[in-house]
Structures are given as structure tokens and as C-alpha cells.
Amino acid sequence: MKKSTKTSTKKRALWMWSALGLACGAAHAQSSVTLFGVVDLGVQQTRSGDGGKVTALGNGGLSTSRIGFRGTEDLGSGLRAGFWLEGSLNPDTGAGRATNTNNQPSGATTAGPLTFDRMSYVSLSHTQWGEVRAGRDFIPTHYNSIYFDPFNANGVARAGNLTFAGAGTGPLPTAIAGSNTLSYWLPGKLGGLYGMAMVGTGENLSNAPNSDDGNFAGLRLGYAAGAFDVAAAFTRSQFSSTAAIGNYTHANVGGTWDAGFAKFFALYNRVTVQLAAGSVRKNTAEIGAHIPAFEVGRIRLSYAYLDDRSDTSVRTPGGQARSGDDARQWGVGYVHNLSKRTALYGTYARISNRGEARYVVSGGAAPAAGRSSSGWELGVRHTF
Amino acid sequence: MKKSTKTSTKKRALWMWSALGLACGAAHAQSSVTLFGVVDLGVQQTRSGDGGKVTALGNGGLSTSRIGFRGTEDLGSGLRAGFWLEGSLNPDTGAGRATNTNNQPSGATTAGPLTFDRMSYVSLSHTQWGEVRAGRDFIPTHYNSIYFDPFNANGVARAGNLTFAGAGTGPLPTAIAGSNTLSYWLPGKLGGLYGMAMVGTGENLSNAPNSDDGNFAGLRLGYAAGAFDVAAAFTRSQFSSTAAIGNYTHANVGGTWDAGFAKFFALYNRVTVQLAAGSVRKNTAEIGAHIPAFEVGRIRLSYAYLDDRSDTSVRTPGGQARSGDDARQWGVGYVHNLSKRTALYGTYARISNRGEARYVVSGGAAPAAGRSSSGWELGVRHTF
Amino acid sequence: MKKSTKTSTKKRALWMWSALGLACGAAHAQSSVTLFGVVDLGVQQTRSGDGGKVTALGNGGLSTSRIGFRGTEDLGSGLRAGFWLEGSLNPDTGAGRATNTNNQPSGATTAGPLTFDRMSYVSLSHTQWGEVRAGRDFIPTHYNSIYFDPFNANGVARAGNLTFAGAGTGPLPTAIAGSNTLSYWLPGKLGGLYGMAMVGTGENLSNAPNSDDGNFAGLRLGYAAGAFDVAAAFTRSQFSSTAAIGNYTHANVGGTWDAGFAKFFALYNRVTVQLAAGSVRKNTAEIGAHIPAFEVGRIRLSYAYLDDRSDTSVRTPGGQARSGDDARQWGVGYVHNLSKRTALYGTYARISNRGEARYVVSGGAAPAAGRSSSGWELGVRHTF
């Protein structure tokens, strides 16, 4: 009996080996490769204050849909090598998303097919010295945009609706992620301090015009201890100013406080784009909360205000630009976790535009100037 | 000795863990992710009655080449979550296939790169209540086109050569699969009854012209018991009629009967495209059989007739349109299974066109009006 | 205690099954599917003799970055089926690389998204009879370009900088890999003899103009025994001569000799492109070595000379074309293996152009005619 049990264990193990049979090309004892992803889809309806409505199958209302491969290898003495390849999905259509090869408008790849547009890097890390990554990754400021937005930079109520969308600044290839980057990440064991610095290059010929276009650099520093987590970040991208794009700086600071009965969020962004016609400057402040509910769920709330410091449509008697093309957004949602991997969610968001502002909830069509934009979505997010 | 055996079993298990090391990002006890695919290639030669010949490495002569990732998670109480991401391959060239983002000609993605064009969805299913899927999937009528065609909608002899190809109706983005869909599938335990209903949206702005373009809906109902399987389906896609595309309806009914010595197939399709210049209406009937042979093989036979109800080239004395731009196709093939995963196959098909008809066997070049099209292929299909 | 140990082993095995849960779609006892890849990135700086400089995150300085899926199935009696799907990556940007669908300039797919451009085939192999592959694969001459170049056809010092780059012959779709191919590979057990033959088709209509464009055929034969490995290959691609491309032939012969203290490399290429204006003919000779160093590292050295037999800028008194648009390249590098999977490397290469030659190190910008090109890179290569 004992023998037979052992044999059956052994046989199962062998069978697993052959049935699974999915091994790394160069497997070693300390290695692992992980296939992972998210498929997040929901019914979505967005409305413009001027009457337009779009009924859609929304994508990524709770988390960005994606597929990826990642792995690490233990090299001994605290040193590890690793890689990460992760691409966005639009599972409503089976499409992927474009990446950008040179951090400039000319480097945009065609929309539709799969790429590893989110993250694509090789890394060497050491438990004491930190990590160096080379490749494509989120820029420092975007990490704050994700972690300190109660809607995690996804769905109709994401904070980024105000920060970037409708910014009148054309394509900003480095607004979220950058290519051709080197980054350094502090090690994990610094008593709560964390941070990273990143540089990226547009890979232009040095003696050609606008040779700095697409170069960028950024920094993020944070501190997390107990219920608190705060971080500040700054990223500056260089572009020769054209009608659509110019030097672009983004600074933000944010934090969360988990008070037990609720987790509170705050995020403040300053974005500047230096165009030939003058600088576009926008400041956004957002506060929000997660409130646990129904044992496995949480309510999500946010309120955001965008102050367009460069607007010209409304002037105070003193001639100072103020509150002209500004916008407010509020969002409310509920996430119901069916398991650690699968959740149902519903979100509603509404943007009130002023002056010439035409901000729009994610997935919607841009309203007429000064008209509102709103939308709801009901979806399911499944991770693997 | 016993101890050492145990130890070695344990060691092997650990080694498997590390060597395989390919885990889900958020693995749970009840979850599984499956990598799967088909690589199907063969030598193919197609001929036009007017002398043209193409010698090619044909792709998907037996099954559509593809690669995919799918998985399910048991949520308890009969509820399951799941996802499916599957893209077509052209392994003769390493290319993938385009998908369509809005069910309209404007939403076609670029040809060549990989997408998940076949299926891309998240699903929630319950053993008693059935399944809801959101994403991209085959339209209801296409499931009949696959299951009730003895050539399974693949290769030079597929029934679809007559139903769609050469239809003079330009691009029909929703002829096979649709994006932005919600579908409901009956549960498995209904005493043989099965079925599904699907709606999809073109995601247009409601107050823009042609705002219904790309919207579609469809239904499929079937009954399988013992040796019989029959199903009927209907899909209607909305398009404002232009020169190339208009409202498109496809209805079909089909069945199989496994008589033991042979499995018989029948499939009848009605396709209508409402163009500004008048409706294009085509009816196709196909019969066929699979005959087991040589222990591990089966012979495949089909005969199909297309009646173009909207042709104008030939009129009866009474003025009734009849048999003008019609076509006949017959196909014969043999599949030899080397294993459950790997098969060799050969297929021959010939289409006789009449009037202005220019139908063509899959992979061939369109013949001159009324000339024949024929082709053979010899290939190997390997699934993983 | 013994029992509990056994139970825990069994439990671990079961947990692995569910946690890994990554199985083939149609798993059998003898099957296996392997996920594999390379992520190779490094800081790179290239210079032109005329002053231009590009600072970049270089990609594939040691091995081509890639991701792939491959597998085999034992069919019994020495027969195996298998597939291979492998696509290039540009992990500096998350992009993939284009493939070509018809071996002609018109078949180039769009740059940026993922494809399986490197290898994409299904195969049947037998231990005694060899292997037949159908799909996309490297052409015979490219295998010599990889194995007999001390820089393995990658990075700033690759031999191919001279063989193809700057050849003034426009796009050569079949210079490295071909689509729509059938190939036969000798079995492994021929006492050191190895080889393969390949044909590919442009899949053109036989009665259309230039119907042979994109057809090609090639052969490779080699012998490896003890410390020696030598091989010769020939590939000929047919193109109707236009301004940019014409019939293209590549012949090469190469070898390695592992003398223990060093491994020596030699490679000789003859490339001819028949243009309407006359043939372009270039011969390249390269010698090099790998020298083991620092226990886990090796120094890499190469010197290459390109003789443009078709140059017209310099003539001997007798009127014979000689040494006009020629070029020399030398490369030096060091590879330090941190493990079998992960290596650090540094490479420097310099090309001296003469006459009108504008050859450039991989990743750099083309210099002015006759000016030099040089570059270095420091990178990390991680395989999985």
C-alpha cells in the first residue's frame, strides 16, 4: 500500500511533466517564467452634454486588459536577472495597442496589432543595491497616477481624464510610458523609502535638427509606512515645439491613508507643454476614497478639479487668467470581488466643462466646448 | 531505500516546479490556463479555367492555424469565470490576421501582425443558468458554417467559397466574427437542446450619420441527441447601404447524422445584402459525408450549389431570374490521423461558375466570369 | 512521519498541477510545448566619421531578442511531429518585427507589431530519414552567417554589416528568412555530415507579369567532427530586375576550429544582385576568434574585408574594377556569463569605408560616402 502510494505519486509527477510539458527554453533550478494577464470588459454608455451617446463594450474599466510573460533567475549572492514583456489588450475586439519606438510622434506604431507596449525590459537586481532596468516602462509620474487615483487610472472615472485628455496638446508619446529607457530602482529594504530614476532617449542623430526630441528623464521618491504611503514624481520630455507638441513636464505628488473604515486618496498634478504659441499649463487635484462594503466589496469615490492656468477665455477684472477652461469630475463606483482573481464592478463619472474645455470621460466622444461628459460602465474583470 | 525513493520523488516534484516554473500570475487552487494552437500547412495549387495557376504553401487546409490562451476559474456554487484569447496564424509566413474594431470597414486593422481576431472574451458561466460572454466571438451563423460543412469551413473545398467569396458585396466585417459583443449561451444540461444569442455594437455616436452601422444581432438554436445534430441560426448586421456594403442578413440551417459507416452533413444558407442598387440575395445548399477509412482516416465529400437570386444575366421566358450567375462546387478529401494531434490530409475542389459568377476555391485567384476554379492541397496539421 | 511526508509530497504535486495549470490544449504523454525567448538590451553609441552620433538603447547586441513557442510530439516508430513559432522582439520599445508574406517588397508587413517573423513552421521528422519543414525559416546561407561569424550575426560587429547593409540593392526580402518554404533536413546520424535544402514560392499567378518574383531555392551542406565544423551554402532568389531589386544570389562557406585555447572562425560570402543597370557583386571575407577568459567569459575578435567587385569609382590602369567602394571592419568584444542564461557583454566595432562605400555598424546612421562608422555597446542578455 505504501509502495503503491509512492508509485502513484511518482507516476503523477511524471505525468504532470509530460502533460504540462510547458518548460522554459533554458530551464534552471532557480528560474521561473510566468504567463499572466487581465481580461476586463463591460457594458459602457457615455453621453455628451450636447446629446451624443455612445453604447459600447468598454475595455479595462477596472484594470487595463493585458497579456504578459515575465520571469526571474537567481544568480546567487543576492543578484537576480529578470525580464518583463507585457502588452495591452482590447479584448472587446481582439486588438492590442500600439507602442512608440522613439518617444516621438514619428515613432508611433500602427494601431490594432499586439505589441508589448506596457512594459518590456530586462533587469538586474540585487537585494541590497537595487535594480537596473533597460527597455520600455512607465514613466515615474505615471506610477503616482496609478497608485494614488482611487480608480487606478482606469475606466470612465480615472483621474487622467482631466490630466491629459483634451489637453489640446496633441500626441504626447511619453505621457504614460517611455521607450529606450534605463532606470534605477532603490532596493526594497530601506525602511519604507522607495524610489526610482529613469532616463530615455529619442535615439536621434546628434547633428540632425531637433536631435533631443524624445529624450526624457524622471524621478520618483516615496515613503510607505503603516497606513500611509506618499510619493512625489517628476518627468520632463524634450520636444522641439511644433503646433502639436513641445517640451513636456509633469510633476505630481500623491498619497493614501488607510484608516481602516476607509482608504483615502489624494493626488495633485502639474502638467506643462511648451508650444510655440505659448505654454499650456494645467493643474489637477483629486481626492477620493475606497470604502469596504458587503464583506468582499468596496465603494470607490473621487472628486477632481482641473485648473487650466493657460486658458484665455475668461479673465478677472485684473486681467489674470482664472477658472476659464477648467473642469470638474466626480466618480463613484463599486467593486465586488467574486474571488481574488475575478470581480464585478460598476462605475459612474461626470465631467463638468467650463469655457472652451472639452474634457471627456474615458471611452466617450468629446463634447462641444463647455458641455458635460458622463458615462457609466458595468463590467467583469478576470485576471490570470 | 524507501526513504530515498520518497526523497527522489520529492526532489523531482520540486525540480518540476522550478524547471517548468510557468505559473499563472494569480494562481488559485481551482484555476488553469491553457496554451493551445494549430499549425496547419500544405502544398497547394489552384487553377482558374482561364489558365492562371498559383502554387503556394497553403495555410489551414484542415483547421485554421492559430495560437491561443484560455482559462477558467471555479468560483464555487456552480459559477465559473473564464477567458479566451485566440488569434489566427498564417504560419506559412509567420503573420497573424487582422481584426476589426468597430464591425465596420473603417475598423479593419492592418494585415500581417498578430491579433486575437478569432475569439477574445471574458465569460461568467453557471452550470444551471448558462454562460454570458463579452468580447469578440464568432457570429451565430458561423457556428453552423463550421460544424455542418464536411470541410469544417477550411481549405480549398470549404462551403464558404460559395456563400461569401465573390459575393460582389465588398468587405463584410461581421461575416464570420463580431467585435463588441455580448452573448448568452444556454447551459449544457437541457436534454440535447443548445443555443446562444448575441448582440454587437458598432460603437458609433448616436447623433452622427449612420450611427447604427456595425450593430448586429443573431441567434442560434440546435438539438443534438444520439447520432443526430441539427441547428438553425440567423444573424443580421446593420450597415447604411453604400456601393460596397449594406444591411446584411445570413440565415442557415444544418445538421449531421452519424450512421456509423458514414457521417452525413447538410447545410443551407440564405445571404442578403441590401445595397443602394438593389439587394444581393444568394442561397447555398451543401450536402456531404465523412466516411471512415483505413482505421485512422476518413474520406470527406461535399457537393454545393449556389443560387444567385439577384442575378440578372439569364432570365426565363417568363422573366424570372434563374440560374444566371450560379455556381456548383464539389470537394473530395482524405484525412489520415497520425495521432490525435497530428494528421496528414489531401483535398481537391472544383467550382463551376455560370454567367457572371467568379467564385474561387480558397487560396486561388478569381477566374474570369463564368470560368471554373479548382485546387488541391496536401498538408499536415499539428495541434498543441 | 513517513506517511505525512508522502502526503505532503502528493499534496505538493497536486498543488503544482493546479497552480501551474498551464497545459497543452491536446496534451498527450509524449508531447511537450516550450515557451522560450531572449531579452537582450544594452546602451549603445554609434558614430559616423562625419560627426554624427546616436546614443541609443541597443537591442540584440549578443543574441536576437525574441519570444517563441515550440513543441514536438512523438508519433512512434522514430517519427515526430513538431512546430516552431518564433518572433523577433525589440524590447527597447516593446515592438516586434515585420515579416514578409510573399518574399517580395509588396509582401512586407507593417513595422512595429508582433509577428512570428523568425521561424514559423510545422515539421515531420524521422530519426533515420531526416526532417521536412513547411513554413517560414532562415534561408540556407543565413545559417552560415550565424554560426561562422564570431559575433553570431548580432550587434555592432556582426559580419552582416558588410554583406548586406549598404549594399545599394534596396530591400531584399529573402536575405535572411523566407516565407512559403518547404525544406528537407538530413537526419542527425550521418557521421558528422549535415545539411538541408529549401525551396520557397512568391505565390504569384502563373500568367501574370513577373510570376517568378519571390521564388527561391537554396542548399547547405556541412561536416562537423571533433574540433572542426565546416559548411557551404547557396541561395538564389528570383526577382524581375527593377531599380531596387533583381535576381539575388548568395553563396558562402565557413568553418570553425576549436583549438582549446581559442576557437577560430572563418566565413566567405559572395553576393550578387542583377539589376537592370548591371550586376552588383560583393565578396566578403571574415576571420575571427573566441578566446576563453576569466573562467566564465570569452573575448571575441573579428576582422572582415568587403570587396565590391562592381564598384566603378576606382580603376586600375588596366581598367579593372578594384578596391574602389570597399570596406574593412574589425570588432572586439567580451562576453561575461553570469549563468547559462544571463550574460553581460561589451562590443566595439569600426568600419573603414572607401570610395563611395557607406557601410555602417548595426544600429548606426549611414555615414557620408567613404567615411567611417563605429560603435560600442554594453548590454545584458537574458534567455528564458
Side-chain angles (χ1 to χ4, degrees):
Chain A
M1 172 58 192
K2 277 184 184 175
K3 189 110 190 302
S4 100
T5 305
K6 252 179 303 183
T7 309
S8 102
T9 305
K10 205 169 143 189
K11 266 176 62 186
R12 182 180 299 109
L14 282 170
W15 171 78
M16 284 164 54
W17 163 251
S18 46
L20 289 177
L22 200 45
C24 305
H28 280 215
Q30 312 297 347
S31 72
S32 70
V33 177
T34 302
L35 164 66
F36 66 97
V38 173
V39 182
D40 178 346
L41 290 169
V43 177
Q44 184 192 70
Q45 198 168 72
T46 53
R47 286 171 189 271
S48 299
D50 44 353
K53 187 174 72 174
V54 177
T55 305
L57 190 69
N59 170 29
L62 184 55
S63 304
T64 304
S65 297
R66 72 192 76 168
I67 189 167
F69 307 88
R70 63 174 188 250
T72 58
E73 179 194 17
D74 190 339
L75 297 168
S77 312
L79 194 62
R80 300 185 74 85
F83 76 98
W84 196 294
L85 298 168
E86 178 180 334
S88 303
L89 292 182
N90 293 348
D92 45 344
T93 66
R97 288 197 200 152
T99 187
N100 186 295
T101 59
N102 64 5
N103 300 325
Q104 300 163 60
S106 63
T109 66
T110 189
L114 299 170
T115 71
F116 292 122
D117 63 312
R118 280 174 64 84
M119 290 183 171
S120 167
Y121 62 74
V122 64
S123 94
L124 286 175
S125 62
H126 189 275
T127 44
Q128 290 190 308
W129 307 334
E131 180 180 6
V132 174
R133 296 182 187 172
R136 182 174 171 86
D137 201 347
F138 293 134
I139 62 168
T141 33
H142 192 61
Y143 284 99
N144 282 348
S145 298
I146 298 169
Y147 297 134
F148 302 130
D149 174 4
F151 290 93
N152 285 98
N154 274 294
V156 290
R158 64 177 178 187
N161 290 337
L162 296 192
T163 308
F164 300 110
T169 50
L172 286 168
T174 55
I176 291 176
S179 288
N180 315 313
T181 76
L182 275 183
S183 59
Y184 168 72
W185 299 68
L186 290 176
K189 295 172 180 170
L190 292 177
L193 185 70
Y194 61 87
M196 46 90 66
M198 176 182 281
V199 294
T201 164
E203 301 192 345
N204 300 303
L205 189 59
S206 61
N207 56 2
N210 307 328
S211 63
D212 289 334
D213 278 21
N215 293 350
F216 74 94
L219 192 71
R220 182 172 184 246
L221 270 176
Y223 183 78
F228 290 91
D229 184 1
V230 292
F234 180 82
T235 311
R236 182 169 192 274
S237 300
Q238 291 175 269
F239 299 106
S240 52
S241 46
T242 66
I245 193 172
N247 283 335
Y248 160 67
T249 60
H250 186 180
N252 58 16
V253 56
T256 56
W257 171 43
D258 194 339
F261 69 95
K263 183 179 181 183
F264 296 99
F265 293 72
L267 177 62
Y268 181 73
N269 293 282
R270 296 183 79 116
V271 172
T272 306
V273 185
Q274 293 170 353
L275 302 181
S279 288
V280 173
R281 290 175 297 125
K282 303 190 177 186
N283 302 342
T284 320
E286 188 192 43
I287 54 170
H290 284 185
I291 305 168
F294 309 113
E295 289 192 10
V296 296
R298 56 187 165 147
I299 295 163
R300 305 195 296 174
L301 302 169
S302 76
Y303 173 80
Y305 181 86
L306 177 136
D307 179 15
D308 186 340
R309 303 293 295 172
S310 51
D311 53 13
T312 55
S313 60
V314 174
R315 298 267 158 186
T316 63
Q320 190 184 5
R322 189 179 129 200
S323 302
D325 301 340
D326 300 348
R328 295 159 197 274
Q329 171 177 285
W330 59 270
V332 57
Y334 175 66
V335 179
H336 191 81
N337 293 299
L338 298 176
S339 73
K340 285 189 185 173
R341 293 175 54 198
T342 304
L344 304 176
Y345 64 90
T347 310
Y348 176 82
R350 182 178 175 86
I351 294 174
S352 302
N353 287 301
R354 295 195 181 173
E356 299 297 313
R358 303 182 63 193
Y359 298 93
V360 57
V361 297
S362 177
R371 307 302 293 263
S372 67
S373 172
S374 64
W376 57 262
E377 56 200 0
L378 288 172
V380 54
R381 183 210 56 196
H382 179 66
T383 63
F384 59 95
Chain B
M1 170 61 193
K2 276 185 182 175
K3 189 112 189 300
S4 100
T5 305
K6 252 180 299 181
T7 309
S8 101
T9 306
K10 207 170 145 188
K11 265 176 63 185
R12 181 179 300 108
L14 282 169
W15 172 76
M16 283 163 56
W17 163 250
S18 46
L20 288 177
L22 200 45
C24 303
H28 278 216
Q30 313 297 346
S31 71
S32 70
V33 176
T34 301
L35 164 66
F36 65 97
V38 173
V39 182
D40 178 345
L41 290 169
V43 176
Q44 185 193 69
Q45 198 169 71
T46 52
R47 285 171 189 271
S48 298
D50 43 355
K53 187 174 74 175
V54 177
T55 304
L57 191 69
N59 170 27
L62 184 55
S63 304
T64 303
S65 296
R66 72 194 74 170
I67 189 167
F69 308 88
R70 62 175 189 249
T72 59
E73 180 194 16
D74 189 339
L75 296 167
S77 311
L79 193 62
R80 300 184 74 84
F83 76 99
W84 196 293
L85 298 168
E86 178 181 335
S88 303
L89 293 182
N90 293 349
D92 44 346
T93 67
R97 288 196 199 155
T99 186
N100 187 294
T101 59
N102 64 5
N103 300 325
Q104 301 164 60
S106 63
T109 65
T110 188
L114 298 170
T115 72
F116 292 122
D117 62 313
R118 279 175 64 84
M119 291 184 170
S120 167
Y121 62 74
V122 64
S123 94
L124 286 175
S125 62
H126 190 276
T127 44
Q128 290 190 308
W129 308 334
E131 180 179 7
V132 175
R133 295 181 188 173
R136 181 174 172 85
D137 201 347
F138 293 133
I139 63 168
T141 33
H142 191 62
Y143 284 100
N144 282 349
S145 299
I146 298 170
Y147 298 134
F148 302 130
D149 174 4
F151 290 93
N152 286 97
N154 273 293
V156 290
R158 64 178 180 187
N161 290 336
L162 296 191
T163 308
F164 300 109
T169 51
L172 285 169
T174 56
I176 291 176
S179 287
N180 314 312
T181 77
L182 275 184
S183 59
Y184 169 73
W185 298 67
L186 291 176
K189 295 172 180 170
L190 292 177
L193 186 69
Y194 61 88
M196 45 89 67
M198 177 182 281
V199 294
T201 164
E203 301 192 345
N204 300 304
L205 190 59
S206 62
N207 55 1
N210 308 326
S211 63
D212 290 334
D213 278 22
N215 293 350
F216 73 94
L219 192 72
R220 182 172 182 246
L221 270 177
Y223 183 78
F228 289 91
D229 184 2
V230 292
F234 180 83
T235 310
R236 181 170 193 276
S237 301
Q238 290 175 269
F239 299 105
S240 53
S241 47
T242 66
I245 195 172
N247 283 336
Y248 161 66
T249 58
H250 186 180
N252 59 16
V253 56
T256 56
W257 170 44
D258 193 341
F261 68 96
K263 184 178 180 182
F264 296 99
F265 292 73
L267 176 62
Y268 181 74
N269 293 281
R270 296 183 79 116
V271 172
T272 305
V273 185
Q274 293 170 353
L275 302 180
S279 289
V280 174
R281 290 176 296 123
K282 303 187 178 189
N283 302 343
T284 319
E286 188 193 43
I287 54 170
H290 284 185
I291 305 169
F294 308 113
E295 290 192 10
V296 295
R298 57 187 165 148
I299 295 162
R300 305 196 294 175
L301 303 169
S302 76
Y303 174 81
Y305 181 87
L306 177 137
D307 179 15
D308 186 339
R309 303 293 293 172
S310 50
D311 53 13
T312 55
S313 60
V314 175
R315 299 267 158 186
T316 63
Q320 190 184 7
R322 189 179 130 201
S323 301
D325 300 338
D326 301 348
R328 295 158 197 275
Q329 172 179 286
W330 60 270
V332 57
Y334 175 65
V335 179
H336 190 81
N337 294 299
L338 298 177
S339 74
K340 283 188 186 174
R341 294 175 55 199
T342 304
L344 304 176
Y345 64 90
T347 311
Y348 176 81
R350 183 179 173 88
I351 293 174
S352 302
N353 286 302
R354 294 193 182 177
E356 299 297 313
R358 302 181 66 194
Y359 298 93
V360 57
V361 296
S362 176
R371 307 302 293 266
S372 66
S373 172
S374 65
W376 58 261
E377 57 200 358
L378 288 172
V380 54
R381 185 209 56 197
H382 179 66
T383 63
F384 58 93
Chain C
M1 171 61 191
K2 277 185 184 176
K3 189 115 189 299
S4 100
T5 304
K6 252 179 301 185
T7 310
S8 103
T9 305
K10 207 171 143 187
K11 266 176 63 186
R12 180 179 299 109
L14 282 168
W15 171 77
M16 283 163 56
W17 163 250
S18 47
L20 289 178
L22 200 45
C24 303
H28 278 215
Q30 313 297 346
S31 72
S32 71
V33 176
T34 301
L35 164 66
F36 65 97
V38 173
V39 182
D40 178 346
L41 290 169
V43 176
Q44 184 192 70
Q45 199 169 71
T46 51
R47 286 170 188 271
S48 299
D50 43 353
K53 187 174 73 176
V54 178
T55 304
L57 192 68
N59 169 28
L62 184 54
S63 304
T64 304
S65 297
R66 71 193 75 169
I67 190 168
F69 307 88
R70 63 174 188 250
T72 58
E73 180 194 16
D74 190 339
L75 296 167
S77 311
L79 193 63
R80 300 185 75 85
F83 75 99
W84 196 293
L85 298 169
E86 178 180 334
S88 304
L89 293 181
N90 294 348
D92 45 345
T93 67
R97 290 199 197 150
T99 187
N100 186 294
T101 59
N102 65 5
N103 300 325
Q104 301 163 59
S106 62
T109 66
T110 188
L114 298 171
T115 71
F116 291 122
D117 63 311
R118 279 175 64 84
M119 291 183 170
S120 167
Y121 61 75
V122 64
S123 92
L124 285 175
S125 63
H126 189 276
T127 44
Q128 291 190 308
W129 307 333
E131 181 179 6
V132 174
R133 296 182 187 172
R136 181 173 172 86
D137 201 347
F138 293 133
I139 63 168
T141 33
H142 192 61
Y143 283 99
N144 283 348
S145 299
I146 299 170
Y147 297 134
F148 302 130
D149 175 3
F151 290 93
N152 286 97
N154 274 293
V156 290
R158 65 179 179 187
N161 290 336
L162 296 192
T163 309
F164 300 109
T169 52
L172 286 168
T174 55
I176 291 175
S179 288
N180 314 312
T181 76
L182 274 183
S183 60
Y184 168 72
W185 298 68
L186 291 176
K189 296 172 179 169
L190 292 177
L193 185 71
Y194 61 87
M196 46 89 66
M198 176 183 280
V199 294
T201 164
E203 301 192 344
N204 300 303
L205 190 60
S206 61
N207 55 3
N210 307 328
S211 63
D212 289 334
D213 278 21
N215 293 350
F216 73 94
L219 192 72
R220 182 173 183 246
L221 269 177
Y223 182 79
F228 289 91
D229 185 1
V230 291
F234 180 82
T235 310
R236 182 170 191 276
S237 300
Q238 291 175 270
F239 298 105
S240 53
S241 46
T242 66
I245 194 173
N247 284 335
Y248 161 66
T249 59
H250 185 179
N252 59 16
V253 56
T256 56
W257 171 43
D258 194 339
F261 69 96
K263 183 179 180 182
F264 296 99
F265 293 72
L267 177 61
Y268 181 73
N269 293 282
R270 296 182 79 117
V271 171
T272 305
V273 185
Q274 293 170 353
L275 302 181
S279 288
V280 173
R281 290 175 297 125
K282 303 188 178 188
N283 302 341
T284 320
E286 188 192 44
I287 55 171
H290 284 184
I291 304 169
F294 308 114
E295 289 192 10
V296 296
R298 57 188 163 147
I299 295 162
R300 306 196 294 175
L301 302 169
S302 76
Y303 173 80
Y305 182 86
L306 177 137
D307 179 14
D308 186 339
R309 303 294 292 172
S310 51
D311 51 16
T312 53
S313 60
V314 175
R315 298 268 160 186
T316 62
Q320 190 184 6
R322 190 179 129 200
S323 301
D325 300 339
D326 300 348
R328 295 158 198 275
Q329 173 178 285
W330 59 270
V332 57
Y334 175 65
V335 179
H336 191 81
N337 294 298
L338 298 176
S339 74
K340 284 188 185 175
R341 293 175 54 199
T342 304
L344 304 177
Y345 64 89
T347 311
Y348 176 81
R350 183 180 174 85
I351 294 174
S352 302
N353 287 302
R354 294 193 181 176
E356 300 297 312
R358 301 181 65 194
Y359 297 93
V360 57
V361 297
S362 176
R371 305 303 293 265
S372 67
S373 172
S374 64
W376 57 262
E377 58 200 358
L378 288 172
V380 54
R381 183 209 58 197
H382 180 66
T383 63
F384 59 94

